[in-house]
Amino acid sequence: GAAVAHFLNCYHVLWRRQKTASGENSPPNGTQNKKKKNKKGKVFVREPSSTWSSSTAQSIHSSICEIALSKFGYTLPVDAGLVVMPLGFLPMTRLICRAVGIQLTLRDYTENKHCTESDIMNVFPIVKHSNPRARDATKLKDLAEDRLGNGYLGESHELITDALNTMLQVYGPLHSDIESSHKHLAHISYLFGRIGQAVSHQKQGLLASERVLGIDHYETIYCYVYLALFAHNLAQTSVALRLMYRAKYLLQLIFGPDHLEQAAFDINIGLMLHTKGDSQNSQKFLESALKLHKKFHGTGSVQVAMCNILVARALAGNADFREAMKYQKHAFEVYSEKYGEDDKRTKDCQAFLSKLTQKAVELQKWLQNKEKVVPIWSLVRLYPIAPSQRCWPLSMVFPPHLQR
């Protein structure tokens, strides 16, 4: 336990082993030499092994750089002899523990990130193995996916139903193939327009995924996202928002806040909030997505232009037309450069920019003479997003065969 805690602390550079005046190592609190008694009552002192106690943050990070360079031919970014970690403390700790089999004590590590010997509960082996699969059911499932890709929804539904019945007899209700089969049936039901059946199948797939793969698995996260899409199509926006918040939290726990999928999740949440009429909170999520897209794609990308349009609509919902014009103008410039002025997307963007300019003038007149001009509420509800357009950014998250 002390060796594992020492490695984690060195890896995260939370403390560095300092040499005392006598040249001996000074361990941190929680890993100090402890006097213990055996069953006969005799006191003994546990001395740290010289192999791991002499390791420092610089030596561990230097070994990581050497392995990355020799095995992958990639030079890791280094700052003052230490590797620049792309993720935060919790995601990196989680990845290390899952990779090497470390079990930590359940506590809040965000406030006190220092690991002690008491935080190490267990170390268990990670064994590679292959899960046995039902051959006939797997063939039916693969054939169903092939028929779905070719557009034969009815045949695909029959094949995946037969495969699911066979898997239930062979595996029981909890298996990764059971989860994927339920998800497959949910997709087909969604494409058929049977949203209620899609929600039912997706719930069963989500329960199987949580129990088989774990609540923090990426497949489980996307089960939450699919279920949110189906709930949103049933006009259950509050339920869809709770599911999206859960998926966003799990994604941030695994990959940290600076991940490209976070932008897609923020866009979906922002649009759902816009559907509910909460333009203020919608603006916050859309601006967060815009910031991430600028970081990963650059200011002149189509993704950034799309986010600018969505932020402009949210600002218009808050009657901040002048600020909305800035975002819309940037989107218009990008579309003009990428697609030309004759493209439909560029014309729609220009039309909305003209509408914003008109509304900004009307708002200014209302502020100057409140009695003779139209009331403010008639200006705020500007260009509401049509039902057919409310979910189109969800195509960033879902594969093409789910886009209706």
Side-chain angles (χ1 to χ4, degrees), residues 387-401:
S388 60
Q389 297 176 337
R390 285 173 185 168
C391 293
W392 68 271
L394 289 171
S395 60
M396 298 173 59
V397 178
F398 299 104
H401 68 272

Side-chain angles (χ1 to χ4, degrees), residues 21 31 116 125 140 203 235 255 262 324 333 335 338 345 351 387:
T31 58
T116 62
L140 288 173
K203 283 183 178 179
F255 300 110
Q262 288 282 0
E333 293 174 354
Y335 278 175
K338 297 288 184 180
R345 288 163 288 191

